[in-house]
């Protein structure tokens, strides 16, 4: 068990390192922060001074070495635009993002899971088809289109809700819907196929042959088994709580992490972008580990393998 | 020489009864299946099955893969997927099962008729402890609850010879071997104290020594509890050993029914004869085994006459025109074959005797 955990942690560490390194390199070869932050008409001397100040005149290896050393000392660099610590800036945006993504996650689960179960239980009937057509629609429409559509309907045609901004509860509704609908559709499709798979298993026939009423067969024999693959995708959604709303935040000018990422990438504000990506990778990896632990609880075959084998 | 006509049209009035009363049905059988048909997506895979089962009887069902053995019993218990089109009558002590309300059917399933399946490891739910899976039946059909469930399930595990029965209550199916899982399935079936146990190839997925143990267990349990046993298998030898009566199925029909010893000593239907020739002998010198040539026909492309005709060594021209019905072929025996039809229905012999 301890060995298994260590391997998991090592793997998580490698994943995060890869993400961070990749981001570091791509950011540095794809544009010059001196130009994007100082402006085109800054003097060459000023630019040189800027590069020297931020260490951009050194070779990429030295820059990378300095960056990594700093991280291990808890220093995530400073924003080139505002000058403040990058981490503080990013962390200050997290509450706004979570205010959107958490209700959206609840919405996804609250709609997607029952819809998927319902569709599977009415497989090939018109209700199943209706749910699935809706789901495919909700799933194929890109979130910016959905966001703009919702704004068009509920803010412009029927001026019930604000088009963007923050401060009141009403500001939350449209962005949460935008995030939630697409995710609910994905989840519905996923839960449906997981349920259909389980309902076709021999042990469901056994349960029927035992004389257990159908409702109880579904509750006791199908749902727990279909939950196993479903937690993977929900875990994935949990992993995107922090960075899963880049597009939606832009559409609704929501001051969250996603918005900060867009602005910082445009400005080549290197430390801030790196800090966000590091945070995103860490949440993804963490939620993955969380899913693995849940798996072990839900599926006795795995928890045994983990405790005996590795 | 008289022109031969399909003998089905030449029945003597006095001989009608064996044709209309199907499959040796004594008055008041425990379970009766009449003219059961099943079609999947318009393809018929069962084409009029007639069977009956007496109280306490051990009935064997044999036939090659795809002959409809499993579908017959799944249909009888309403366990086929909803897209299967089922017709006919299935009665338990005269009460119809096919159109029974769900609640009534649920009382029959597991409580009066239990069924176990070929692959015990996939027939048990992998995420539920085996004790709880047996406990479900106890709670549902015997009204056992609380701590009594553990005691009773343990008793059943002991009864079916599950090693270390007491500790097994909390085990998961993957922690047990295939043979042990089949014992769990049998314990689960017994939990409802059923009148019939339908065992669909209960040993096919197990290795030879375990097969023999499971069969012996089924036989012991049957004699001890007095419940009827339906043993489905494609192994005629195995079935004849553990059953009193044997039903041979081919391409969605019953082709022969006879007491087990007579199936061996005097098989009537060429298909049964073929199955026997393919069996290793019980005693005496080893002889060459002769498998039946050819393959079971695809249910969507059945020959027009006798479904066995393309593979039959005794085929006559008549065989290819009409489907021979199941008719009496001796005391307590039925067969569906032109060549084996008793003399009184054979047109030309009819004339000779007259
Ligand atoms: N769920 C299903 N959907 C479609 N066709 C099916 C289904 N179940 C069975 N069949 C078809 O019905 C026919 C009879 O199948 P059945 O399972 O009863 O055969 P069997 O005699 O039990 O053979 P085996 O020895 O392989 O178990 C086969 O042609 C099979 O393909
Ligand atoms: S009816 Fe004809 S083809 Fe069919 S089994 Fe009998 S002899 Fe063979
Ligand atoms: Mg079968």
């Amino acid at each position: 068990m301890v060995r298994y955990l260590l391997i998991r942690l090592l793997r998580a560490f490698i994943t995060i390192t890869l993400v961070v390194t990749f981001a570091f390199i791509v950011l540095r070869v794809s544009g010059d922060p001196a130009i994007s932050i100082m402006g085109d008409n800054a003097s060459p001397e000023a630019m040189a001074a800027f590069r020297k100040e931020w260490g951009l005149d050194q070779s990429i290896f030295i820059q990378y070495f300095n960056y990594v050393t700093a991280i291990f000392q808890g220093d995530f660099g400073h924003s080139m635009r505002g000058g403040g610590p990058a981490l503080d800036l990013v962390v200050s945006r997290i509450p706004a993002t979570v205010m959107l993504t958490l209700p959206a996650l609840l919405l996804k689960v609250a709609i997607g899971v029952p819809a998927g179960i319902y569709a599977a239980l009415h497989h090939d009937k018109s209700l199943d088809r209706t749910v699935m057509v809706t789901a495919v629609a909700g799933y194929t429409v890109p979130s910016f289109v959905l966001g703009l559509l919702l704004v068009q309907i509920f803010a412009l045609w029927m001026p019930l809700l604000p088009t963007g901004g923050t401060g009141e509860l009403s500001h939350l509704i449209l962005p949460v819907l935008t995030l939630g609908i697409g995710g609910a559709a994905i989840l519905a499709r996923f839960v449906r196929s997981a349920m259909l798979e389980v309902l076709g298993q021999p042990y469901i026939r056994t349960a029927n042959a035992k004389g257990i009423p159908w409702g109880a067969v579904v509750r006791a024999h199908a749902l727990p088994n279909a939950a196993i693959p479903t937690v993977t995708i929900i875990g994935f959604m949990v992993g995107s709580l922090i960075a899963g709303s880049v597009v939606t935040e832009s559409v609704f000018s929501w001051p969250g992490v996603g918005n900060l990422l867009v602005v910082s990438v445009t400005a080549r504000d290197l430390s801030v972008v790196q800090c966000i990506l590091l945070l995103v990778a860490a949440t993804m990896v963490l939620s993955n580990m969380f899913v693995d632990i849940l798996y072990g609880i839900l599926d006795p075959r795995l928890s045994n393998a983990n405790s005996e084998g590795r | 020489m008289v022109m031969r006509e399909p003998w089905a049209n030449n029945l003597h009035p006095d001989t009608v009864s064996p044709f209309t009363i199907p499959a040796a049905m004594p008055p008041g059988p425990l379970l009766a299946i009449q003219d059961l048909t099943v079609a999947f997506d318009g393809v018929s895979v069962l084409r009029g099955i007639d069977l009956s089962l007496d109280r306490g009887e051990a009935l064997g069902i044999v036939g090659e893969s795809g002959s409809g053995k499993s579908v017959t019993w799944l249909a009888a218990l309403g366990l086929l997927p909803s897209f299967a089109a089922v017709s006919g009558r299935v009665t338990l002590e005269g009460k119809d099962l096919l159109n029974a309300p769900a609640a009534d059917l649920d009382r029959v399933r597991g409580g009066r008729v239990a069924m176990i399946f070929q692959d015990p490891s996939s027939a048990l739910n992998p995420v539920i402890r085996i004790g709880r899976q047996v406990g479900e039946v106890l709670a549902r059909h015997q009204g056992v609850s609380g701590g009594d469930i553990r005691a009773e399930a343990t008793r059943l595990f002991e009864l079916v010879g599950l090693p270390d029965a007491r500790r097994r209550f909390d085990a998961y199916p993957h922690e047990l071997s295939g043979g042990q899982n089949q014992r769990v399935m049998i314990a689960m079936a017994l939990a409802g104290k059923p009148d019939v146990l339908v065992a669909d190839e209960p040993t096919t997925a197990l290795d030879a020594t375990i097969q023999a143990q499971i069969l012996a267990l089924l036989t012991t349990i049957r004699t001890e509890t007095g419940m009827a046993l339906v043993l489905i298998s494609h192994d005629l030898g195995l079935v004849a050993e553990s059953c009193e009566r044997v039903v041979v199925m081919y391409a969605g029909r019953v082709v022969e029914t006879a007491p087990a010893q007579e199936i061996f000593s005097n098989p009537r239907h060429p298909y049964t004869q073929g199955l026997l020739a393919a069996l290793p002998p019980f005693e005496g010198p080893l002889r060459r085994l002769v498998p039946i040539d050819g393959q079971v026909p695809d249910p969507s492309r059945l020959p027009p006459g006798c479904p066995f005709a393309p593979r039959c060594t005794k085929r006559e021209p008549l065989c290819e025109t009409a489907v021979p019905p199941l008719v009496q072929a001796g005391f307590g025996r039925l067969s569906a074959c032109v060549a084996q039809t008793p003399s009184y229905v054979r047109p030309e012999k009819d004339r000779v005797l007259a």
Side-chain angles (χ1 to χ4, degrees):
Chain A
M1 194 64 194
V2 174
R3 193 152 160 247
Y4 171 72
L5 269 182
L6 283 179
I7 291 176
R8 289 292 329 205
L9 280 172
L10 186 69
R11 229 187 278 160
F13 180 75
I14 293 174
T15 310
I16 294 177
T17 312
L18 284 176
V19 169
V20 163
T21 311
F22 183 75
F24 189 91
I25 296 169
V26 168
L27 280 171
R28 252 146 264 256
V29 298
S30 64
D32 186 350
I35 299 173
S36 50
I37 289 185
M38 306 281 291
D40 288 342
N41 32 16
S43 69
E45 294 77 36
M47 291 230 200
F50 179 89
R51 290 201 187 97
K52 192 167 169 55
E53 186 195 343
W54 292 101
L56 298 171
D57 52 345
Q58 286 160 320
S59 85
I60 192 162
F61 296 105
I62 294 176
Q63 287 185 48
Y64 183 69
F65 178 78
N66 290 340
Y67 168 63
V68 174
T69 326
I71 284 181
F72 279 109
Q73 290 157 1
D75 174 7
F76 290 81
H78 288 72
S79 166
M80 291 173 180
R81 290 184 306 140
L87 186 62
D88 292 359
L89 182 59
V90 175
V91 168
S92 73
R93 298 293 194 97
I94 291 179
T97 292
V98 172
M99 207 185 279
L100 286 190
T101 50
L102 197 62
L105 178 68
L106 297 179
L107 189 69
K108 291 175 200 176
V109 175
I111 296 177
V113 171
I117 293 171
Y118 189 82
L121 292 178
H122 297 85
H123 180 47
D124 265 347
K125 306 238 172 69
S126 56
L127 282 163
D128 172 31
R129 291 199 201 100
T130 314
V131 172
M132 278 310 110
V133 167
T134 320
V136 170
Y139 163 78
T140 37
V141 176
S143 56
F144 74 91
V145 175
L146 184 62
L148 293 176
L149 197 72
L150 289 174
V151 167
Q152 185 70 44
I153 297 173
F154 294 104
L156 302 177
W157 289 346
M158 302 184 272
L160 300 173
L161 295 165
T163 55
T166 53
E168 283 168 49
L169 203 61
S170 61
H171 287 113
L172 277 171
I173 297 177
L174 289 184
V176 165
L177 278 181
T178 306
L179 284 170
I181 290 174
I186 295 174
L187 201 53
R189 280 166 55 98
F190 199 88
V191 168
R192 174 181 179 267
S193 62
M195 271 300 274
L196 283 179
E197 157 99 29
V198 167
L199 290 174
Q201 293 297 313
Y203 54 78
I204 296 297
R205 190 181 57 193
T206 306
N208 285 324
K210 282 154 77 168
I212 300 172
W214 181 236
V217 171
V218 170
R219 245 177 296 118
H221 288 267
L223 290 181
N225 299 58
I228 297 170
T230 305
V231 298
T232 319
I233 189 123
I234 295 182
F236 195 74
M237 290 175 169
V238 171
S240 60
L241 276 179
I242 292 197
S245 56
V246 176
V247 176
T248 310
E249 285 182 15
S250 301
V251 169
F252 292 96
S253 14
W254 188 265
V257 179
N259 220 328
L260 179 64
L261 180 67
V262 172
V263 173
S264 305
V265 167
T266 320
R268 302 275 153 214
D269 196 345
L270 301 180
S271 301
V272 177
V273 176
Q274 277 161 199
C275 184
I276 292 176
L277 292 180
L278 182 62
L279 193 73
V280 169
T283 16
M284 290 280 185
V285 164
L286 264 179
S287 68
N288 245 320
M289 290 180 72
F290 175 69
V291 164
D292 271 11
I293 292 169
L294 254 184
Y295 251 56
I297 295 170
L298 290 172
D299 192 338
R301 288 165 295 185
L302 292 179
S303 50
N304 265 34
N306 291 347
S307 51
E308 286 163 19
R310 280 163 277 182
Chain B
M1 186 71 199
V2 186
M3 269 278 288
R4 260 187 161 188
E5 297 167 46
W7 37 264
N9 301 328
N10 272 314
L11 303 176
H12 190 277
D14 292 346
T15 62
V16 164
S17 58
F19 305 93
T20 50
I21 295 184
M25 199 191 289
L30 175 63
L31 190 145
I33 295 177
Q34 287 160 278
D35 198 25
L36 183 67
T37 68
V38 172
F40 292 106
D41 297 320
V43 177
S44 336
V45 300
L46 277 199
R47 296 170 307 131
I49 299 292
D50 295 302
L51 277 181
S52 73
L53 179 72
D54 284 335
R55 259 162 268 275
E57 185 182 21
L59 179 68
I61 314 279
V62 278
E64 281 164 294
S65 193
S67 51
K69 307 182 295 293
S70 303
V71 168
T72 301
W73 294 93
L74 292 173
L77 289 177
L79 293 172
L80 287 176
S82 55
F83 64 89
V86 180
S87 77
R89 247 173 92 75
V90 177
T91 52
L92 180 70
E93 286 176 340
K95 283 193 280 300
D96 186 26
L97 293 186
L98 288 188
N99 301 307
D104 292 357
L105 192 58
D106 284 335
R107 267 190 293 277
V108 169
R109 302 200 281 213
R112 313 256 352 240
V113 184
M115 189 160 179
I116 63 175
F117 303 96
Q118 175 169 344
D119 181 1
S121 307
S122 65
L124 288 163
N125 192 322
V127 309
I128 303 181
R129 297 177 197 279
I130 58 170
R132 260 195 61 206
Q133 298 193 48
V134 173
E136 277 181 319
V137 180
L138 291 169
R140 179 79 41 196
H141 296 293
Q142 299 295 317
V144 182
S145 61
D148 296 345
I149 287 186
R150 182 177 285 267
E152 183 59 14
T154 306
R155 190 188 70 79
L156 287 166
F157 286 155
E158 273 161 8
L159 185 73
V160 298
L162 192 68
D164 209 0
R166 201 179 307 274
R167 274 185 38 224
R168 293 302 187 181
F169 188 93
D170 293 314
Y172 288 100
H174 73 273
E175 295 167 330
L176 273 57
S177 69
Q180 290 172 347
N181 276 327
Q182 195 61 292
R183 287 179 197 271
V184 172
M185 286 294 292
I186 295 171
M188 202 157 82
L190 294 179
K193 298 208 169 72
D195 301 311
V196 185
L197 172 61
V198 180
D200 187 355
E201 314 211 22
T203 61
T204 311
L206 310 174
D207 59 40
T209 44
I210 312 290
Q211 282 191 15
Q213 291 173 10
I214 295 288
L215 279 179
L217 173 66
L218 286 175
T219 308
T220 318
I221 285 172
R222 188 176 80 82
T223 38
E224 279 173 12
T225 62
M227 71 179 178
L229 174 69
V230 175
L231 182 61
I232 300 175
S233 172
H234 42 237
D235 184 344
L236 182 53
L238 180 153
V239 155
E241 244 179 296
S242 3
C243 297
E244 296 150 358
R245 195 158 59 90
V246 176
V247 169
V248 182
M249 287 185 66
Y250 188 78
R253 287 177 182 279
V254 173
V255 295
E256 179 161 10
T257 306
Q261 315 89 338
E262 288 180 43
I263 276 275
F264 263 100
S265 56
N266 186 13
R268 290 282 160 82
H269 197 280
Y271 178 59
T272 315
Q273 293 164 0
L275 288 178
L276 273 175
L279 281 182
F282 279 124
E283 48 202 310
L286 280 179
R287 57 173 169 75
R288 211 168 72 83
L289 307 183
V290 198
I292 307 175
D293 276 341
Q295 304 217 310
V296 182
D298 184 324
S300 60
R301 269 168 291 151
L302 284 181
C306 170
F308 189 56
R311 306 168 72 186
C312 184
T313 50
K314 304 203 167 121
R315 184 177 60 233
E316 322 173 10
L318 182 59
C319 302
E320 282 162 86
T321 57
V323 182
L326 194 60
V327 296
Q328 190 131 29
F331 181 73
R333 308 192 53 166
L334 297 160
S335 170
C337 168
V338 167
Q340 299 303 315
T341 303
S343 52
Y344 51 79
V345 257
R346 297 282 291 181
E348 78 278 38
K349 285 185 188 162
D350 232 355
R351 304 293 156 97
V352 172
L353 289 174

